[in-house]
Amino acid sequence: MHERMRLFIEGEFLVGDIVSVYSQSLERIIGKGRVKLSSDQVRIHLEQEKVEGVFIHRNDWVSLWKGRK
């Protein structure tokens, strides 16, 4: 069984903004992308029991981590 991923939102952003995605376990930025939802909308989603949806589409994502520490 997989441990549920913990997601946190820091700062404010609007739809279409470019944001950095940080991994707490790796202690580094793992990528950047253009968000499909505002920070307020994401916070509302995270309050739900089951979080579903695409926050950053893969076509709008750039990985900065290649799987090595």
Side-chain angles (χ1 to χ4, degrees):
M1 180 165 23
H2 294 283
E3 180 182 334
R4 183 176 176 177
M5 186 184 309
R6 291 185 281 162
L7 303 173
F8 303 94
I9 302 298
E10 188 173 285
E12 302 295 323
F13 50 86
L14 301 174
V15 174
D17 283 354
I18 304 297
V19 299
S20 297
V21 178
Y22 181 84
S23 168
Q24 287 187 313
S25 61
L26 297 173
E27 298 180 339
R28 64 181 301 156
I29 294 174
I30 59 170
K32 294 187 178 196
R34 183 183 322 273
V35 291
K36 299 183 82 50
L37 302 170
S38 70
S39 53
D40 290 337
Q41 292 169 315
V42 173
R43 286 186 181 97
I44 291 169
H45 277 278
L46 294 179
E47 291 172 1
Q48 298 173 4
E49 182 69 27
K50 187 174 181 181
V51 178
E52 293 182 358
V54 175
F55 301 123
I56 300 174
H57 190 276
R58 68 181 180 179
N59 290 347
D60 296 324
W61 172 258
V62 176
S63 291
L64 300 174
W65 183 68
K66 303 287 186 206
R68 298 178 300 270
K69 209 168 187 181

